[in-house]
Amino acid sequence: MQIIANSKISAVYFALLQCGYDFFHIERSKDHINALKRFISAAQCPEFFDEVRQNTCEVYPYWPRAFLLETAAHFIDDASFEYRHFDSFREKIFSASNISNEERGKAFWDWIIRFPDALSSVMHSKRFAEYLAFVKQWVEKQNALHKDELDLIQKCLESCAEQYGSAVRTIEICLDPIKCVYSSDYIMLDSRFVFTSGALRTDAVVHEFLHHVVHPYIEKNRSEVLKLKPILNDLDGSYYLAGDDAGILNAFEEHLVRALSADMLVGELPHDLNEYIFKHN
């Protein structure tokens, strides 16, 4: 298992950096921050990226649109910069349980259709080519620094396949040096689990990976969970989405994944996740 760079996702964060993205400095070294500041240019960036920042998540206003751009990037052809399998992309967005209907409403779809042109403009710029060279060198260093952590993540994948029948066969860890180190996202593409963040944190990879394991169990027990009406003081209010049943289930899934992640990292995997759910309400 290796950390990789995804040029399209790096292009998204390079563009956001030009638009005032101010989360790149959190828990970064002075040298890292100064290196990134050199890539901030006075050159005009497509206005499209100004609309990534929203007001639906107070602690991280780039949620969910930065993540949605990461997802969309997987559905854009490398050569033509046109959407491919757009219906599959729509289906993936509408099936996401952690995004509210407001966040994926008409305004979002009117906006996201402009992404390929905006992405092409960034990726064909000389300044981005210089940044991508920097990213690739940085990723090489991350692989050397985190070999033990990568081995541990591989073991977690194998444990979930054996214990819970996980269909994931490959974990891709995609890092970008601009992305906030506390912003961790994932997308499932067939049997590939693609994790993105600004730094490798083993607990974050395991946490995001376990969402795909836990989610079916939450759906299976949804009626019982909703009857419990769990009070989850450890969560930010944004996890409740619109506060409806979907929001309650989303928040409970996050709460459960946090507990299961802590157990997995110390090698204490529960045998029955159905029982585990009701021990953590």
Side-chain angles (χ1 to χ4, degrees):
M1 180 180 296
Q2 284 193 319
I3 297 166
I4 64 170
N6 181 302
S7 59
K8 292 175 189 171
I9 291 175
S10 287
V12 168
Y13 286 95
F14 177 82
L16 292 182
L17 183 68
Q18 315 310 314
C19 299
Y21 184 83
D22 53 359
F23 286 85
F24 70 91
H25 65 279
I26 298 174
E27 292 200 11
R28 301 287 199 183
S29 69
K30 185 176 180 180
D31 287 345
H32 186 99
I33 293 169
N34 288 338
L36 293 182
K37 283 182 176 179
R38 291 198 295 269
F39 291 105
I40 300 176
S41 171
Q44 187 175 6
C45 187
E47 293 182 1
F48 170 86
F49 292 100
D50 288 327
E51 299 176 55
V52 177
R53 189 181 179 105
Q54 299 285 288
N55 59 7
T56 53
C57 181
E58 183 177 353
V59 295
Y60 187 61
Y62 292 91
W63 171 266
R65 285 199 170 185
F67 160 69
L68 294 172
L69 289 183
E70 292 180 17
T71 303
H74 291 284
F75 293 86
I76 293 178
D77 185 78
D78 292 340
S80 67
F81 280 91
E82 295 178 351
Y83 276 117
R84 59 185 179 187
H85 309 301
F86 191 75
D87 288 344
S88 297
F89 170 58
R90 285 181 63 91
E91 182 180 346
K92 189 163 289 291
I93 299 307
F94 278 117
S95 65
S97 61
N98 58 345
I99 300 171
S100 70
N101 288 332
E102 177 188 358
E103 292 167 334
R104 59 188 169 206
K106 183 178 183 301
F108 166 72
W109 293 106
D110 289 344
W111 172 74
I112 199 69
I113 203 68
R114 297 156 44 205
F115 180 41
D117 286 343
L119 181 66
S120 176
S121 176
V122 173
M123 293 190 71
H124 286 98
S125 70
K126 179 181 178 182
R127 197 67 175 138
F128 174 68
E130 295 171 355
Y131 173 66
L132 192 58
F134 167 79
V135 171
K136 290 178 178 178
Q137 291 181 350
W138 179 79
V139 164
E140 287 180 7
K141 293 178 182 177
Q142 301 309 302
N143 275 307
L145 285 170
H146 297 295
K147 185 180 183 304
D148 290 344
E149 291 96 322
L150 292 168
D151 289 344
L152 176 58
I153 293 167
Q154 179 66 35
K155 289 179 181 178
C156 288
L157 182 157
E158 293 167 357
S159 295
C160 283
E162 180 180 350
Q163 190 89 351
Y164 307 124
S166 168
V168 171
R169 294 295 174 262
T170 306
I171 293 180
E172 293 182 7
I173 300 176
C174 173
L175 301 185
D176 183 82
I178 293 173
K179 185 171 182 175
C180 177
V181 300
Y182 289 115
S183 174
S184 300
D185 300 301
Y186 77 93
I187 177 175
M188 289 286 297
L189 298 169
D190 298 322
S191 63
R192 293 160 53 212
F193 174 89
V194 183
F195 170 89
T196 61
S197 190
L200 180 65
R201 291 170 42 230
T202 305
D203 59 334
V205 180
V206 171
H207 176 101
E208 298 301 340
F209 178 73
L210 286 175
H211 271 287
H212 96 279
V213 173
V214 167
H215 183 73
Y217 287 86
I218 297 291
E219 287 297 313
K220 180 180 178 181
N221 294 280
R222 62 180 292 126
S223 297
E224 290 80 0
V225 172
L226 291 172
K227 286 178 184 177
L228 288 172
K229 296 182 179 179
I231 299 174
L232 311 172
N233 295 322
D234 58 326
L235 299 182
D236 177 82
S238 62
Y239 285 103
Y240 286 90
L241 305 177
D244 54 5
D245 287 355
I248 293 171
L249 292 170
N250 182 67
F252 187 69
E253 178 178 324
E254 174 67 19
H255 170 77
L256 191 67
V257 165
R258 290 185 183 189
L260 185 59
S261 297
D263 289 343
M264 172 166 274
L265 288 170
V266 295
E268 296 180 359
L269 280 179
H271 177 72
D272 189 336
L273 282 182
N274 291 304
E275 292 182 2
Y276 190 81
I277 286 175
F278 298 104
K279 291 179 180 178
H280 291 83
N281 61 71

